Amino acid sequence: DMQYIPIETKSDFLVSDIDKITVSNDYIYFCCKSSQQVYQIDSDGKFIRKVGQRGRAKNEYRAVTNLYSNPESIIVFFGRKILYFSAKTGEIEKVITPDNFADINHFTGFSQIGNGSSVILYTKEKENFLTVINSESVQINTKRLWDTEKRRVNMPMPNGKAQLIEWSYTSSLYNYNGETRVTKDFIDTIFTFSGSNLVPYAVFDYGNLEDD
């Protein structure tokens, strides 16, 4: 069922162009595209608080790549860091950065996989990896995905034909209905990641392209 929730409007809380949104049991969290500020409202649309601050300090975020939530925390993912804020107080709980790990320089993707564990997508030496971390931010499993070497590929053009171009393969990680999905450019399969294995979730028929 669809529910309409009017968002409270105040002079210091004006909302426009909502870009990211996540819902927990009691609260709704979202950020606006222009401000990149995260807000917390209750299920009736009443303003609760701003969540965190924009900035360059360790406990701040410059932009929001994605939002996640659970009954205890709101999680803000920004390429160089993952910030956990308390759902009850809005206070910072912990910050995860690549400095927490010996072999990671930059986070490419992030998702929750349950039981307090999360999965991080990263690139190392032209290869993509998924690493699972527990609630203590300790790596418990790492899986190699695909390489990111540049290849010449047939790119579909608006005229229905294909053009040969050079392309670096990029992997994508996201959460849908509580499950972690992963895929990459130019493959026909979306996989579900269980925490250790990739299981095909959906396979698409892209048809054929003319190579003229």
Side-chain angles (χ1 to χ4, degrees), residues 75 84 110-114 116-120 131-135:
I75 305 164
Y84 288 71
F110 172 82
S111 179
Q112 294 181 286
I113 56 175
S117 297
S118 304
V119 59
I120 294 171
T131 189
V132 179
I133 60 173
N134 61 19
S135 58

Side-chain angles (χ1 to χ4, degrees), residues 20 27 32 64 76 79 102 125 133-134 145 163-164 202 206:
K20 307 287 191 310
Y27 301 109
C32 296
V64 179
V76 178
E125 296 177 353
I133 60 173
N134 61 19
L145 293 177
Q163 180 177 338
L164 198 62
Y206 289 147

Side-chain angles (χ1 to χ4, degrees), residues 27 29 40 49 51-53 58-61 68-76 82-97 100 110 112 116 118 135-137:
Y27 301 109
Y29 307 90
Q40 179 181 8
R49 62 175 62 89
V51 178
Q53 298 290 334
K58 182 178 180 180
N59 294 348
E60 298 174 336
Y61 49 88
Y68 298 90
S69 63
N70 57 50
E72 293 78 35
S73 304
I74 167 66
I75 305 164
V76 178
I82 303 162
L83 303 98
Y84 288 71
F85 297 91
S86 168
K88 292 184 177 180
T89 66
E91 296 295 319
I92 189 73
E93 294 178 326
K94 65 178 177 179
V95 180
I96 302 174
T97 72
N100 292 78
F110 172 82
Q112 294 181 286
S118 304
S135 58
E136 304 300 320
S137 304

Side-chain angles (χ1 to χ4, degrees), residues 173-200:
L173 179 71
Y174 65 95
N175 188 288
Y176 181 74
N177 284 345
E179 294 189 329
T180 296
R181 314 275 196 221
V182 62
T183 187
K184 72 165 184 172
D185 297 335
F186 303 109
I187 64 171
D188 60 2
T189 306
I190 297 175
F191 296 91
T192 296
F193 181 61
S194 65
S196 57
N197 297 310
L198 294 176
V199 179

Side-chain angles (χ1 to χ4, degrees), residues 124-150:
K124 179 184 177 183
E125 296 177 353
K126 297 184 178 181
E127 291 187 320
N128 288 145
F129 294 86
L130 292 176
T131 189
V132 179
I133 60 173
N134 61 19
S135 58
E136 304 300 320
S137 304
V138 175
Q139 288 176 278
I140 57 178
N141 181 45
T142 298
K143 182 175 182 62
R144 178 188 178 275
L145 293 177
W146 308 283
D147 68 70
T148 61
E149 292 282 356
K150 287 187 177 182

Side-chain angles (χ1 to χ4, degrees), residues 4-21:
Y4 173 72
I5 301 175
I7 299 177
E8 178 184 23
T9 300
K10 304 185 337 183
S11 60
D12 59 347
F13 179 55
L14 299 175
V15 176
S16 66
D17 57 3
I18 293 176
D19 186 39
K20 307 287 191 310
I21 188 167

Side-chain angles (χ1 to χ4, degrees), residues 1 71 84 138 156 164 204 208 211-212:
D1 294 339
Y84 288 71
V138 175
L164 198 62
F204 301 92
N208 298 313
D211 259 341
D212 301 341

